[in-house]
Amino acid sequence: MIREPAFLAGAFRVGVTFARRFITIWLLIVAATHALAAASPLPRAALIIDEADPSSGTPTIFSSTLRETLSNFTPRVAVYGETLDLSRFSGSKLEAILHTYIEQKYSDVPFGVVVGVGTSALDLVTRWRPTLWPKGAVVFAAIDEVTASELKLHSNATGILMRRTLKSMVAAARILVPDFQGVAMVGGALENDPYRRGYLREIPAIAAEMKLTNLTGLPLTIQMRRAAALPAKTAILFTSFFIDEEGTRYSSSDGLVAIARVANGPIVVDVNNRIGLGATGGFALDNVAYGREVAALVLRILDGASPAAIPVAITESVKPIFDWRQLQRWGINENRLPAGSEILFREPSIWQQMWNLYRIQILAVITLVLTLAAMLSWLLFERRQRLAAEAATRQTISELSHVDRVATAGELTASIAHEVNQPLTGMVTNANAGLRWLARATPD
């Protein structure tokens, strides 16, 4: 008969052993599953969600560069894009419709990376990720440093920030305007500008330091009238025209051209494609280079890099760019510009203009002149060689004449000596004979 306590103790020990083995096996299975998931590459497909209006210009340049760079990469990346125009259309009802639309449209497409272009787009992507792309990585772009400081990012998200602040525009204004006294901001309503909402947070601090006239959001006609009557030593900060306070849509390029036509001070911009439309320049973002930076980040993640291990970076595609014509218009010395500044539309010199117009003719004349110079040099060399040969010939002839005269004189001397020596020799011989005769005892 088995005692009940001993039986229960043995059963408990068996149960504990079984539970430990079960937990160990379960942990190994989970670890192996995670290892396989981490080792398996992400689907080579990317979805780009852009919050801007496709007709607004600058965001289109960035997004089109991003898509083109990814599409042309080998091995191939399937690229999809949605432009939501969230600056005009937003709200929970629209968000629900967009969620359903994207869910149904891409239900059969597994995305490895989802790119949110702009703060609102990133917000949607972050909230939709658990249901739409639970295994996909998130990359964000077109968000400024000020706005990014308030973001709460998912661990599987990373991106490249824009180096775009109102403070940097004011710094450019100080460079362009000697004895700088204030700035006037022109452009569309900043609340409706998805890429410059951070400027709203900077306005109070800058207004406390200098005179700041904020004209953004006013109708274009009013901004033009005010820009034409600004106080001296004032620079104009052009943001971008999306939509004004009355809901009127504008083209940024047309708005800049219109304001530049009447402005009484240099215009500072923050995007390089504004240079050439009347803006003087500034620390401008190159959206083409920026698009390629973000594309490189997306490709890096698709190739296996973990977004959690990639820190958020700031784009290097910002540099000082200026329009030479506007520098001349406002009498701005190039020595005031920052080191490494790029100056566009510099008017060529007279020689450069002649070269551009008559390049072939100039090359032909230069070739002819060089050929004639070479021929003349050769002729002068030949003449010098001929003169040297003539001088050497004359010298040789002179030396031969001298040798001939010396030889002739020698022959004459020998002849004279012979003619003189013969009689003298006979005389000496006869004299010697006479002396011998006289020396005898009995002379003959």
Side-chain angles (χ1 to χ4, degrees), residues 261-309:
R261 190 167 52 245
V262 299
N264 66 345
I267 299 177
V268 177
V269 292
D270 55 9
V271 183
N272 70 336
N273 67 338
R274 303 278 191 261
I275 309 296
L277 301 176
T280 304
F283 298 98
L285 173 67
D286 184 344
N287 275 285
V288 173
Y290 185 32
R292 291 171 181 164
E293 278 188 89
V294 177
L297 176 59
V298 173
L299 292 170
R300 182 180 172 188
I301 294 174
L302 290 176
D303 288 338
S306 172

Side-chain angles (χ1 to χ4, degrees), residues 50 52-61 83 194-195 240-242 249-253 273-274:
D50 194 333
D53 172 15
S55 65
S56 58
T58 296
T60 303
I61 296 174
T83 304
Y195 306 107
S240 186
F241 272 106
F242 286 94
R249 304 285 297 179
Y250 294 100
S251 163
S252 290
S253 299
N273 67 338
R274 303 278 191 261

Side-chain angles (χ1 to χ4, degrees), residues 186 215 219-231 234 236 238 241 254-267 277-279 326 329-330:
V186 299
L215 306 177
L220 179 59
T221 53
I222 296 178
Q223 294 195 43
M224 291 175 61
R225 185 169 64 251
R226 297 282 298 276
L230 291 173
T234 300
I236 299 174
F238 182 88
F241 272 106
D254 295 341
L256 175 57
V257 170
I259 291 178
R261 190 167 52 245
V262 299
N264 66 345
I267 299 177
L277 301 176
Q326 298 300 319
R329 175 186 177 185
W330 302 110

Side-chain angles (χ1 to χ4, degrees), residues 1-133:
M1 182 177 179
I2 301 176
R3 295 182 180 180
E4 186 175 351
F7 171 77
L8 291 177
F12 176 76
R13 286 194 296 271
V14 171
V16 169
T17 302
F18 176 79
R20 287 177 178 174
R21 291 179 179 177
F22 175 79
I23 292 173
T24 302
I25 293 173
W26 180 78
L27 290 175
L28 290 174
I29 293 173
V30 171
T33 303
H34 281 286
L36 290 174
S40 60
L42 293 172
R44 295 191 70 80
L47 174 62
I48 301 170
I49 297 182
D50 194 333
E51 69 173 88
D53 172 15
S55 65
S56 58
T58 296
T60 303
I61 296 174
F62 167 80
S63 297
S64 61
T65 302
L66 174 59
R67 297 183 191 187
E68 181 182 356
T69 304
L70 292 175
S71 299
N72 294 335
F73 189 77
T74 301
R76 182 179 178 275
V77 177
V79 182
Y80 302 85
E82 296 291 339
T83 304
L84 306 182
D85 196 6
L86 297 177
S87 61
R88 288 191 295 172
F89 304 102
S90 60
S92 58
K93 183 178 179 180
L94 176 63
E95 182 178 334
I97 295 173
L98 290 174
H99 183 281
T100 303
Y101 161 73
I102 292 178
E103 181 180 24
Q104 295 296 322
K105 181 176 180 179
Y106 300 106
S107 59
D108 297 330
V109 183
F111 291 110
V113 175
V114 180
V115 183
V117 182
T119 308
S120 300
L122 175 61
D123 180 58
L124 288 182
V125 170
T126 302
R127 286 189 283 109
W128 291 353
R129 180 182 177 276
T131 57
L132 298 183
W133 317 288

